[in-house]
PDB file of all heavy atoms in Angstrom:
ATOM      1  N   SER O   1     -35.629  95.667 -38.770  1.00 98.00           N
ATOM      2  CA  SER O   1     -35.964  94.702 -37.735  1.00 98.00           C
ATOM      3  C   SER O   1     -37.368  94.172 -37.967  1.00 98.00           C
ATOM      4  O   SER O   1     -38.220  94.847 -38.535  1.00 98.00           O
ATOM      5  CB  SER O   1     -35.884  95.338 -36.345  1.00 98.00           C
ATOM      6  OG  SER O   1     -34.580  95.809 -36.067  1.00 98.00           O
ATOM      7  N   CYS O   2     -37.602  92.972 -37.489  1.00 95.00           N
ATOM      8  CA  CYS O   2     -38.900  92.334 -37.614  1.00 95.00           C
ATOM      9  C   CYS O   2     -39.130  91.484 -36.377  1.00 95.00           C
ATOM     10  O   CYS O   2     -38.233  90.765 -35.930  1.00 95.00           O
ATOM     11  CB  CYS O   2     -38.943  91.473 -38.878  1.00 95.00           C
ATOM     12  SG  CYS O   2     -40.410  90.418 -39.029  1.00 95.00           S
ATOM     13  N   THR O   3     -40.338  91.559 -35.836  1.00 91.00           N
ATOM     14  CA  THR O   3     -40.638  90.769 -34.659  1.00 91.00           C
ATOM     15  C   THR O   3     -42.113  90.392 -34.634  1.00 91.00           C
ATOM     16  O   THR O   3     -42.916  90.934 -35.392  1.00 91.00           O
ATOM     17  CB  THR O   3     -40.285  91.528 -33.370  1.00 91.00           C
ATOM     18  OG1 THR O   3     -40.410  90.663 -32.238  1.00 91.00           O
ATOM     19  CG2 THR O   3     -41.219  92.731 -33.191  1.00 91.00           C
ATOM     20  N   THR O   4     -42.444  89.468 -33.767  1.00 79.00           N
ATOM     21  CA  THR O   4     -43.824  89.036 -33.575  1.00 79.00           C
ATOM     22  C   THR O   4     -44.303  89.521 -32.216  1.00 79.00           C
ATOM     23  O   THR O   4     -43.840  89.025 -31.189  1.00 79.00           O
ATOM     24  CB  THR O   4     -43.948  87.512 -33.638  1.00 79.00           C
ATOM     25  OG1 THR O   4     -43.432  87.032 -34.877  1.00 79.00           O
ATOM     26  CG2 THR O   4     -45.402  87.094 -33.506  1.00 79.00           C
ATOM     27  N   PRO O   5     -45.204  90.492 -32.176  1.00 71.00           N
ATOM     28  CA  PRO O   5     -45.708  90.983 -30.895  1.00 71.00           C
ATOM     29  C   PRO O   5     -46.448  89.891 -30.135  1.00 71.00           C
ATOM     30  O   PRO O   5     -47.022  88.982 -30.735  1.00 71.00           O
ATOM     31  CB  PRO O   5     -46.666  92.116 -31.302  1.00 71.00           C
ATOM     32  CG  PRO O   5     -46.215  92.512 -32.671  1.00 71.00           C
ATOM     33  CD  PRO O   5     -45.764  91.243 -33.310  1.00 71.00           C
ATOM     34  N   GLY O   6     -46.427  89.994 -28.819  1.00 60.00           N
ATOM     35  CA  GLY O   6     -47.144  89.045 -27.995  1.00 60.00           C
ATOM     36  C   GLY O   6     -46.339  87.782 -27.730  1.00 60.00           C
ATOM     37  O   GLY O   6     -45.171  87.842 -27.377  1.00 60.00           O
ATOM     38  N   VAL O   7     -46.987  86.672 -27.893  1.00 49.00           N
ATOM     39  CA  VAL O   7     -46.379  85.385 -27.596  1.00 49.00           C
ATOM     40  C   VAL O   7     -45.199  85.107 -28.524  1.00 49.00           C
ATOM     41  O   VAL O   7     -45.339  85.148 -29.746  1.00 49.00           O
ATOM     42  CB  VAL O   7     -47.406  84.254 -27.708  1.00 49.00           C
ATOM     43  CG1 VAL O   7     -46.750  82.909 -27.403  1.00 49.00           C
ATOM     44  CG2 VAL O   7     -48.574  84.501 -26.767  1.00 49.00           C
ATOM     45  N   ALA O   8     -44.066  84.813 -27.931  1.00 50.00           N
ATOM     46  CA  ALA O   8     -42.880  84.495 -28.714  1.00 50.00           C
ATOM     47  C   ALA O   8     -43.009  83.095 -29.305  1.00 50.00           C
ATOM     48  O   ALA O   8     -43.620  82.209 -28.714  1.00 50.00           O
ATOM     49  CB  ALA O   8     -41.635  84.593 -27.845  1.00 50.00           C
ATOM     50  N   ASP O   9     -42.426  82.911 -30.452  1.00 58.00           N
ATOM     51  CA  ASP O   9     -42.489  81.627 -31.130  1.00 58.00           C
ATOM     52  C   ASP O   9     -41.220  81.422 -31.930  1.00 58.00           C
ATOM     53  O   ASP O   9     -40.467  82.366 -32.193  1.00 58.00           O
ATOM     54  CB  ASP O   9     -43.717  81.566 -32.040  1.00 58.00           C
ATOM     55  CG  ASP O   9     -44.083  80.147 -32.433  1.00 58.00           C
ATOM     56  OD1 ASP O   9     -43.472  79.196 -31.909  1.00 58.00           O
ATOM     57  OD2 ASP O   9     -44.981  79.980 -33.285  1.00 58.00           O
ATOM     58  N   SER O  10     -40.984  80.190 -32.307  1.00 62.00           N
ATOM     59  CA  SER O  10     -39.829  79.849 -33.115  1.00 62.00           C
ATOM     60  C   SER O  10     -40.294  79.471 -34.517  1.00 62.00           C
ATOM     61  O   SER O  10     -41.304  78.794 -34.677  1.00 62.00           O
ATOM     62  CB  SER O  10     -39.040  78.703 -32.495  1.00 62.00           C
ATOM     63  OG  SER O  10     -38.510  79.065 -31.234  1.00 62.00           O
ATOM     64  N   PHE O  11     -39.556  79.925 -35.516  1.00 74.00           N
ATOM     65  CA  PHE O  11     -39.871  79.629 -36.902  1.00 74.00           C
ATOM     66  C   PHE O  11     -38.692  78.944 -37.568  1.00 74.00           C
ATOM     67  O   PHE O  11     -37.535  79.224 -37.266  1.00 74.00           O
ATOM     68  CB  PHE O  11     -40.215  80.904 -37.663  1.00 74.00           C
ATOM     69  CG  PHE O  11     -41.333  81.693 -37.056  1.00 74.00           C
ATOM     70  CD1 PHE O  11     -41.073  82.799 -36.278  1.00 74.00           C
ATOM     71  CD2 PHE O  11     -42.646  81.325 -37.278  1.00 74.00           C
ATOM     72  CE1 PHE O  11     -42.103  83.532 -35.713  1.00 74.00           C
ATOM     73  CE2 PHE O  11     -43.691  82.043 -36.720  1.00 74.00           C
ATOM     74  CZ  PHE O  11     -43.415  83.159 -35.933  1.00 74.00           C
ATOM     75  N   TYR O  12     -38.992  78.042 -38.465  1.00 87.00           N
ATOM     76  CA  TYR O  12     -37.933  77.369 -39.207  1.00 87.00           C
ATOM     77  C   TYR O  12     -37.212  78.328 -40.145  1.00 87.00           C
ATOM     78  O   TYR O  12     -35.990  78.421 -40.147  1.00 87.00           O
ATOM     79  CB  TYR O  12     -38.512  76.215 -40.012  1.00 87.00           C
ATOM     80  CG  TYR O  12     -38.889  75.005 -39.189  1.00 87.00           C
ATOM     81  CD1 TYR O  12     -40.174  74.851 -38.687  1.00 87.00           C
ATOM     82  CD2 TYR O  12     -37.956  74.012 -38.933  1.00 87.00           C
ATOM     83  CE1 TYR O  12     -40.526  73.738 -37.936  1.00 87.00           C
ATOM     84  CE2 TYR O  12     -38.291  72.895 -38.184  1.00 87.00           C
ATOM     85  CZ  TYR O  12     -39.579  72.765 -37.689  1.00 87.00           C
ATOM     86  OH  TYR O  12     -39.918  71.648 -36.942  1.00 87.00           O
ATOM     87  N   CYS O  13     -37.971  79.012 -40.942  1.00 92.00           N
ATOM     88  CA  CYS O  13     -37.420  79.883 -41.970  1.00 92.00           C
ATOM     89  C   CYS O  13     -38.039  81.280 -41.886  1.00 92.00           C
ATOM     90  O   CYS O  13     -39.251  81.417 -41.737  1.00 92.00           O
ATOM     91  CB  CYS O  13     -37.681  79.287 -43.349  1.00 92.00           C
ATOM     92  SG  CYS O  13     -37.112  80.281 -44.740  1.00 92.00           S
ATOM     93  N   MET O  14     -37.204  82.285 -41.989  1.00 94.00           N
ATOM     94  CA  MET O  14     -37.671  83.662 -42.051  1.00 94.00           C
ATOM     95  C   MET O  14     -36.954  84.364 -43.199  1.00 94.00           C
ATOM     96  O   MET O  14     -35.799  84.053 -43.492  1.00 94.00           O
ATOM     97  CB  MET O  14     -37.421  84.397 -40.743  1.00 94.00           C
ATOM     98  CG  MET O  14     -38.102  83.756 -39.544  1.00 94.00           C
ATOM     99  SD  MET O  14     -38.053  84.777 -38.060  1.00 94.00           S
ATOM    100  CE  MET O  14     -39.286  86.022 -38.490  1.00 94.00           C
ATOM    101  N   GLY O  15     -37.646  85.284 -43.823  1.00 96.00           N
ATOM    102  CA  GLY O  15     -37.061  85.944 -44.969  1.00 96.00           C
ATOM    103  C   GLY O  15     -37.462  87.395 -45.100  1.00 96.00           C
ATOM    104  O   GLY O  15     -38.410  87.863 -44.461  1.00 96.00           O
ATOM    105  N   TRP O  16     -36.715  88.105 -45.927  1.00 98.00           N
ATOM    106  CA  TRP O  16     -37.010  89.486 -46.285  1.00 98.00           C
ATOM    107  C   TRP O  16     -37.347  89.551 -47.763  1.00 98.00           C
ATOM    108  O   TRP O  16     -36.643  88.968 -48.595  1.00 98.00           O
ATOM    109  CB  TRP O  16     -35.829  90.407 -45.997  1.00 98.00           C
ATOM    110  CG  TRP O  16     -35.619  90.694 -44.546  1.00 98.00           C
ATOM    111  CD1 TRP O  16     -34.735  90.104 -43.710  1.00 98.00           C
ATOM    112  CD2 TRP O  16     -36.312  91.673 -43.769  1.00 98.00           C
ATOM    113  NE1 TRP O  16     -34.830  90.645 -42.450  1.00 98.00           N
ATOM    114  CE2 TRP O  16     -35.787  91.613 -42.454  1.00 98.00           C
ATOM    115  CE3 TRP O  16     -37.324  92.597 -44.047  1.00 98.00           C
ATOM    116  CZ2 TRP O  16     -36.246  92.438 -41.427  1.00 98.00           C
ATOM    117  CZ3 TRP O  16     -37.784  93.416 -43.024  1.00 98.00           C
ATOM    118  CH2 TRP O  16     -37.239  93.326 -41.729  1.00 98.00           C
ATOM    119  N   PHE O  17     -38.413  90.257 -48.073  1.00 98.00           N
ATOM    120  CA  PHE O  17     -38.845  90.485 -49.437  1.00 98.00           C
ATOM    121  C   PHE O  17     -38.999  91.985 -49.644  1.00 98.00           C
ATOM    122  O   PHE O  17     -39.094  92.749 -48.688  1.00 98.00           O
ATOM    123  CB  PHE O  17     -40.170  89.784 -49.721  1.00 98.00           C
ATOM    124  CG  PHE O  17     -40.090  88.283 -49.699  1.00 98.00           C
ATOM    125  CD1 PHE O  17     -40.027  87.592 -48.505  1.00 98.00           C
ATOM    126  CD2 PHE O  17     -40.077  87.559 -50.890  1.00 98.00           C
ATOM    127  CE1 PHE O  17     -39.956  86.208 -48.477  1.00 98.00           C
ATOM    128  CE2 PHE O  17     -40.003  86.175 -50.877  1.00 98.00           C
ATOM    129  CZ  PHE O  17     -39.942  85.501 -49.672  1.00 98.00           C
ATOM    130  N   ARG O  18     -39.040  92.400 -50.886  1.00 98.00           N
ATOM    131  CA  ARG O  18     -39.293  93.800 -51.183  1.00 98.00           C
ATOM    132  C   ARG O  18     -40.184  93.906 -52.406  1.00 98.00           C
ATOM    133  O   ARG O  18     -40.188  93.036 -53.272  1.00 98.00           O
ATOM    134  CB  ARG O  18     -37.996  94.578 -51.391  1.00 98.00           C
ATOM    135  CG  ARG O  18     -37.187  94.174 -52.619  1.00 98.00           C
ATOM    136  CD  ARG O  18     -35.866  94.919 -52.626  1.00 98.00           C
ATOM    137  NE  ARG O  18     -35.085  94.669 -53.829  1.00 98.00           N
ATOM    138  CZ  ARG O  18     -33.854  95.110 -54.023  1.00 98.00           C
ATOM    139  NH1 ARG O  18     -33.250  95.841 -53.082  1.00 98.00           N
ATOM    140  NH2 ARG O  18     -33.220  94.838 -55.155  1.00 98.00           N
ATOM    141  N   GLN O  19     -40.937  95.002 -52.452  1.00 97.00           N
ATOM    142  CA  GLN O  19     -41.858  95.194 -53.550  1.00 97.00           C
ATOM    143  C   GLN O  19     -41.995  96.676 -53.877  1.00 97.00           C
ATOM    144  O   GLN O  19     -42.246  97.494 -52.999  1.00 97.00           O
ATOM    145  CB  GLN O  19     -43.233  94.607 -53.229  1.00 97.00           C
ATOM    146  CG  GLN O  19     -44.203  94.643 -54.392  1.00 97.00           C
ATOM    147  CD  GLN O  19     -45.450  93.831 -54.123  1.00 97.00           C
ATOM    148  OE1 GLN O  19     -45.825  93.603 -52.973  1.00 97.00           O
ATOM    149  NE2 GLN O  19     -46.099  93.377 -55.179  1.00 97.00           N
ATOM    150  N   THR O  20     -41.820  96.991 -55.145  1.00 96.00           N
ATOM    151  CA  THR O  20     -41.973  98.334 -55.661  1.00 96.00           C
ATOM    152  C   THR O  20     -43.316  98.418 -56.372  1.00 96.00           C
ATOM    153  O   THR O  20     -43.719  97.458 -57.038  1.00 96.00           O
ATOM    154  CB  THR O  20     -40.833  98.674 -56.635  1.00 96.00           C
ATOM    155  OG1 THR O  20     -39.585  98.556 -55.952  1.00 96.00           O
ATOM    156  CG2 THR O  20     -40.978 100.079 -57.182  1.00 96.00           C
ATOM    157  N   PRO O  21     -44.032  99.530 -56.248  1.00 92.00           N
ATOM    158  CA  PRO O  21     -45.327  99.644 -56.918  1.00 92.00           C
ATOM    159  C   PRO O  21     -45.250  99.286 -58.393  1.00 92.00           C
ATOM    160  O   PRO O  21     -44.362  99.747 -59.114  1.00 92.00           O
ATOM    161  CB  PRO O  21     -45.684 101.121 -56.722  1.00 92.00           C
ATOM    162  CG  PRO O  21     -45.034 101.476 -55.430  1.00 92.00           C
ATOM    163  CD  PRO O  21     -43.725 100.717 -55.444  1.00 92.00           C
ATOM    164  N   GLY O  22     -46.168  98.439 -58.830  1.00 93.00           N
ATOM    165  CA  GLY O  22     -46.210  98.022 -60.215  1.00 93.00           C
ATOM    166  C   GLY O  22     -45.342  96.829 -60.545  1.00 93.00           C
ATOM    167  O   GLY O  22     -45.337  96.379 -61.695  1.00 93.00           O
ATOM    168  N   LYS O  23     -44.607  96.328 -59.565  1.00 93.00           N
ATOM    169  CA  LYS O  23     -43.743  95.185 -59.804  1.00 93.00           C
ATOM    170  C   LYS O  23     -44.061  94.052 -58.833  1.00 93.00           C
ATOM    171  O   LYS O  23     -44.674  94.269 -57.787  1.00 93.00           O
ATOM    172  CB  LYS O  23     -42.273  95.584 -59.671  1.00 93.00           C
ATOM    173  CG  LYS O  23     -41.823  96.613 -60.695  1.00 93.00           C
ATOM    174  CD  LYS O  23     -40.342  96.897 -60.564  1.00 93.00           C
ATOM    175  CE  LYS O  23     -39.882  97.887 -61.613  1.00 93.00           C
ATOM    176  NZ  LYS O  23     -38.434  98.153 -61.515  1.00 93.00           N
ATOM    177  N   GLU O  24     -43.632  92.859 -59.191  1.00 94.00           N
ATOM    178  CA  GLU O  24     -43.853  91.693 -58.348  1.00 94.00           C
ATOM    179  C   GLU O  24     -42.934  91.719 -57.137  1.00 94.00           C
ATOM    180  O   GLU O  24     -41.843  92.284 -57.164  1.00 94.00           O
ATOM    181  CB  GLU O  24     -43.626  90.414 -59.148  1.00 94.00           C
ATOM    182  CG  GLU O  24     -44.628  90.186 -60.264  1.00 94.00           C
ATOM    183  CD  GLU O  24     -46.023  89.954 -59.744  1.00 94.00           C
ATOM    184  OE1 GLU O  24     -46.170  89.258 -58.721  1.00 94.00           O
ATOM    185  OE2 GLU O  24     -46.978  90.477 -60.350  1.00 94.00           O
ATOM    186  N   ARG O  25     -43.394  91.098 -56.078  1.00 96.00           N
ATOM    187  CA  ARG O  25     -42.586  90.987 -54.881  1.00 96.00           C
ATOM    188  C   ARG O  25     -41.385  90.082 -55.155  1.00 96.00           C
ATOM    189  O   ARG O  25     -41.518  89.030 -55.783  1.00 96.00           O
ATOM    190  CB  ARG O  25     -43.428  90.423 -53.736  1.00 96.00           C
ATOM    191  CG  ARG O  25     -42.720  90.337 -52.402  1.00 96.00           C
ATOM    192  CD  ARG O  25     -43.708  90.017 -51.295  1.00 96.00           C
ATOM    193  NE  ARG O  25     -44.716  91.065 -51.171  1.00 96.00           N
ATOM    194  CZ  ARG O  25     -45.694  91.051 -50.266  1.00 96.00           C
ATOM    195  NH1 ARG O  25     -45.790  90.039 -49.417  1.00 96.00           N
ATOM    196  NH2 ARG O  25     -46.571  92.045 -50.226  1.00 96.00           N
ATOM    197  N   GLU O  26     -40.218  90.479 -54.688  1.00 97.00           N
ATOM    198  CA  GLU O  26     -39.014  89.699 -54.906  1.00 97.00           C
ATOM    199  C   GLU O  26     -38.328  89.381 -53.585  1.00 97.00           C
ATOM    200  O   GLU O  26     -38.336  90.177 -52.651  1.00 97.00           O
ATOM    201  CB  GLU O  26     -38.045  90.437 -55.839  1.00 97.00           C
ATOM    202  CG  GLU O  26     -37.516  91.743 -55.286  1.00 97.00           C
ATOM    203  CD  GLU O  26     -36.448  92.358 -56.168  1.00 97.00           C
ATOM    204  OE1 GLU O  26     -35.603  91.603 -56.704  1.00 97.00           O
ATOM    205  OE2 GLU O  26     -36.459  93.596 -56.326  1.00 97.00           O
ATOM    206  N   ALA O  27     -37.719  88.213 -53.538  1.00 98.00           N
ATOM    207  CA  ALA O  27     -37.004  87.783 -52.349  1.00 98.00           C
ATOM    208  C   ALA O  27     -35.672  88.510 -52.237  1.00 98.00           C
ATOM    209  O   ALA O  27     -35.008  88.775 -53.241  1.00 98.00           O
ATOM    210  CB  ALA O  27     -36.780  86.275 -52.380  1.00 98.00           C
ATOM    211  N   VAL O  28     -35.275  88.817 -51.022  1.00 98.00           N
ATOM    212  CA  VAL O  28     -34.002  89.470 -50.747  1.00 98.00           C
ATOM    213  C   VAL O  28     -33.048  88.519 -50.038  1.00 98.00           C
ATOM    214  O   VAL O  28     -31.903  88.348 -50.450  1.00 98.00           O
ATOM    215  CB  VAL O  28     -34.195  90.740 -49.904  1.00 98.00           C
ATOM    216  CG1 VAL O  28     -32.846  91.366 -49.563  1.00 98.00           C
ATOM    217  CG2 VAL O  28     -35.083  91.727 -50.633  1.00 98.00           C
ATOM    218  N   ALA O  29     -33.515  87.892 -48.966  1.00 98.00           N
ATOM    219  CA  ALA O  29     -32.668  86.999 -48.190  1.00 98.00           C
ATOM    220  C   ALA O  29     -33.522  86.126 -47.295  1.00 98.00           C
ATOM    221  O   ALA O  29     -34.671  86.463 -46.995  1.00 98.00           O
ATOM    222  CB  ALA O  29     -31.666  87.789 -47.343  1.00 98.00           C
ATOM    223  N   SER O  30     -32.968  85.014 -46.849  1.00 97.00           N
ATOM    224  CA  SER O  30     -33.646  84.136 -45.907  1.00 97.00           C
ATOM    225  C   SER O  30     -32.638  83.558 -44.930  1.00 97.00           C
ATOM    226  O   SER O  30     -31.433  83.544 -45.191  1.00 97.00           O
ATOM    227  CB  SER O  30     -34.386  83.002 -46.632  1.00 97.00           C
ATOM    228  OG  SER O  30     -33.472  82.049 -47.155  1.00 97.00           O
ATOM    229  N   ILE O  31     -33.156  83.082 -43.808  1.00 96.00           N
ATOM    230  CA  ILE O  31     -32.320  82.448 -42.793  1.00 96.00           C
ATOM    231  C   ILE O  31     -33.148  81.384 -42.089  1.00 96.00           C
ATOM    232  O   ILE O  31     -34.316  81.605 -41.768  1.00 96.00           O
ATOM    233  CB  ILE O  31     -31.770  83.492 -41.796  1.00 96.00           C
ATOM    234  CG1 ILE O  31     -30.830  82.829 -40.792  1.00 96.00           C
ATOM    235  CG2 ILE O  31     -32.911  84.217 -41.088  1.00 96.00           C
ATOM    236  CD1 ILE O  31     -30.053  83.848 -39.956  1.00 96.00           C
ATOM    237  N   ASP O  32     -32.564  80.216 -41.862  1.00 92.00           N
ATOM    238  CA  ASP O  32     -33.291  79.160 -41.196  1.00 92.00           C
ATOM    239  C   ASP O  32     -33.019  79.177 -39.698  1.00 92.00           C
ATOM    240  O   ASP O  32     -32.345  80.066 -39.174  1.00 92.00           O
ATOM    241  CB  ASP O  32     -32.990  77.793 -41.821  1.00 92.00           C
ATOM    242  CG  ASP O  32     -31.555  77.329 -41.602  1.00 92.00           C
ATOM    243  OD1 ASP O  32     -30.832  77.921 -40.784  1.00 92.00           O
ATOM    244  OD2 ASP O  32     -31.151  76.346 -42.262  1.00 92.00           O
ATOM    245  N   ASP O  33     -33.553  78.175 -39.000  1.00 86.00           N
ATOM    246  CA  ASP O  33     -33.492  78.179 -37.544  1.00 86.00           C
ATOM    247  C   ASP O  33     -32.096  77.957 -36.980  1.00 86.00           C
ATOM    248  O   ASP O  33     -31.870  78.215 -35.790  1.00 86.00           O
ATOM    249  CB  ASP O  33     -34.463  77.135 -36.972  1.00 86.00           C
ATOM    250  CG  ASP O  33     -34.179  75.738 -37.498  1.00 86.00           C
ATOM    251  OD1 ASP O  33     -33.815  75.591 -38.673  1.00 86.00           O
ATOM    252  OD2 ASP O  33     -34.361  74.783 -36.723  1.00 86.00           O
ATOM    253  N   VAL O  34     -31.171  77.469 -37.786  1.00 86.00           N
ATOM    254  CA  VAL O  34     -29.809  77.248 -37.307  1.00 86.00           C
ATOM    255  C   VAL O  34     -28.815  78.219 -37.935  1.00 86.00           C
ATOM    256  O   VAL O  34     -27.610  78.045 -37.782  1.00 86.00           O
ATOM    257  CB  VAL O  34     -29.354  75.801 -37.546  1.00 86.00           C
ATOM    258  CG1 VAL O  34     -30.185  74.847 -36.708  1.00 86.00           C
ATOM    259  CG2 VAL O  34     -29.435  75.436 -39.015  1.00 86.00           C
ATOM    260  N   GLY O  35     -29.308  79.225 -38.644  1.00 90.00           N
ATOM    261  CA  GLY O  35     -28.450  80.278 -39.135  1.00 90.00           C
ATOM    262  C   GLY O  35     -27.983  80.183 -40.568  1.00 90.00           C
ATOM    263  O   GLY O  35     -27.212  81.042 -41.014  1.00 90.00           O
ATOM    264  N   SER O  36     -28.419  79.182 -41.305  1.00 94.00           N
ATOM    265  CA  SER O  36     -28.047  79.095 -42.717  1.00 94.00           C
ATOM    266  C   SER O  36     -28.776  80.174 -43.508  1.00 94.00           C
ATOM    267  O   SER O  36     -29.972  80.378 -43.329  1.00 94.00           O
ATOM    268  CB  SER O  36     -28.387  77.713 -43.268  1.00 94.00           C
ATOM    269  OG  SER O  36     -27.630  76.707 -42.618  1.00 94.00           O
ATOM    270  N   THR O  37     -28.060  80.844 -44.400  1.00 97.00           N
ATOM    271  CA  THR O  37     -28.615  81.988 -45.113  1.00 97.00           C
ATOM    272  C   THR O  37     -28.601  81.805 -46.618  1.00 97.00           C
ATOM    273  O   THR O  37     -27.853  80.995 -47.161  1.00 97.00           O
ATOM    274  CB  THR O  37     -27.842  83.265 -44.772  1.00 97.00           C
ATOM    275  OG1 THR O  37     -26.465  83.102 -45.146  1.00 97.00           O
ATOM    276  CG2 THR O  37     -27.919  83.561 -43.281  1.00 97.00           C
ATOM    277  N   ALA O  38     -29.437  82.586 -47.277  1.00 98.00           N
ATOM    278  CA  ALA O  38     -29.476  82.644 -48.725  1.00 98.00           C
ATOM    279  C   ALA O  38     -29.765  84.078 -49.126  1.00 98.00           C
ATOM    280  O   ALA O  38     -30.506  84.782 -48.436  1.00 98.00           O
ATOM    281  CB  ALA O  38     -30.548  81.704 -49.279  1.00 98.00           C
TER     282      ALA O  38
END
């Protein structure tokens, strides 16, 4: 789960990334404001 504490806001695009020590951060998934995913 991921959230923004305090004042709620709307974002166009949100995503999940992951990073292992010694390696570059890589994208896992994204979702836009109307539910389209990648």
Side-chain angles (χ1 to χ4, degrees):
S1 299
C2 171
T3 188
T4 303
V7 180
D9 198 7
S10 297
F11 304 100
Y12 286 92
C13 178
M14 301 190 74
W16 286 99
F17 293 77
R18 66 186 185 186
Q19 186 169 24
T20 301
K23 297 184 178 181
E24 294 294 320
R25 184 169 298 181
E26 64 174 320
V28 177
S30 72
I31 183 169
D32 67 12
D33 57 323
V34 294
S36 296
T37 60

